[in-house]
């Protein structure tokens, strides 16, 4: 349960749903991005850990929020046909993320203990590549004792 379990479930779903892509749960190194016949990449990363808004319990709460980003590297679309392919891939990635949320939070190990919110999907131009980034927020109780999950 927790963010590590969700990332494992998310990675498994992306590997199954987007065949031909290398899916890695790590930050890419500068200059490492590629999107061609020999390499198709998806990276799962996290951002800063935060407390949910509106919690006023004198610091008794151990609930945290962890932004999880799924980034799919693609060639920049130069034709209308390419733009359709890119949009289709972005939609496929969103569906895979939604399936991972359902599988983990509703029917899996995180059921009842972990909430995941699909924040947004945003395309970006990074190192001359078109990178579609899906942001999910994982919220759960990080126990103050024991191993982090």
């Amino acid at each position: 349960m927790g963010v590590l379990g969700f990332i494992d479930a998310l990675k498994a779903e992306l590997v199954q749903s987007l065949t031909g892509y290398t899916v890695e749960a790590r930050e890419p190194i500068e200059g490492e991005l590629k999107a061609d016949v020999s390499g198709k990449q998806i990276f799962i990363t996290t951002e800063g850990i935060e407390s949910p808004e509106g919690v006023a319990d004198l610091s008794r709460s151990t609930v945290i929020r962890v932004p999880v980003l799924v980034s799919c590297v693609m060639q920049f679309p130069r034709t209308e046909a390419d733009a359709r392919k890119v949009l289709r891939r972005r939609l496929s990635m969103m569906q895979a993320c939604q399936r991972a949320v359902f599988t983990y939070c509703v029917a899996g190990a995180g059921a009842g203990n972990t909430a995941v919110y699909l924040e947004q999907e945003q395309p970006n131009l990074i190192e001359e590549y078109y990178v579609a980034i899906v942001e999910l927020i994982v919220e759960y109780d990080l126990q103050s004792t024991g191993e982090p999950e």
Side-chain angles (χ1 to χ4, degrees):
M1 90 178 79
V3 72
L4 294 171
F6 176 69
I7 288 172
D8 290 342
L10 179 60
K11 181 178 178 180
E13 180 61 47
L14 290 166
V15 166
Q16 182 178 347
S17 298
L18 294 162
T19 55
Y21 275 81
T22 300
V23 181
E24 296 184 79
R26 66 176 181 86
E27 191 74 37
I29 299 167
E30 187 174 333
E32 182 181 26
L33 300 183
K34 62 180 173 180
D36 54 29
V37 233
S38 66
K40 297 178 180 179
Q41 301 170 313
I42 294 177
F43 292 97
I44 301 170
T45 59
T46 60
E47 288 189 345
I49 299 169
E50 52 193 51
S51 294
E53 292 179 18
V55 176
D57 63 356
L58 302 174
S59 299
R60 288 188 208 117
S61 176
T62 54
V63 173
I64 61 168
R65 294 169 48 113
V66 182
V68 174
L69 306 175
V70 179
S71 304
C72 181
V73 184
M74 298 174 274
Q75 289 286 336
F76 189 82
R78 303 208 184 279
T79 67
E80 187 174 335
D82 289 344
R84 290 180 61 83
K85 288 178 188 175
V86 163
L87 179 56
R88 187 175 294 118
R89 183 140 317 113
R90 290 169 57 203
L91 293 170
S92 295
M93 191 171 71
M94 286 287 289
Q95 285 178 321
C97 290
Q98 289 173 328
R99 279 192 297 274
V101 169
F102 177 80
T103 301
Y104 187 74
C105 294
V106 178
N113 300 317
T114 305
V116 180
Y117 309 98
L118 188 61
E119 267 309 285
Q120 68 174 343
E121 186 274 347
Q122 187 69 41
N124 293 282
L125 188 60
I126 302 173
E127 293 183 23
E128 298 182 25
Y129 288 103
Y130 195 77
V131 181
I133 302 173
V134 175
E135 181 180 2
L136 302 123
I137 303 295
V138 180
E139 187 173 295
Y140 68 105
D141 189 357
L142 179 66
Q143 306 279 321
S144 58
T145 60
E147 287 292 312
E149 299 174 345

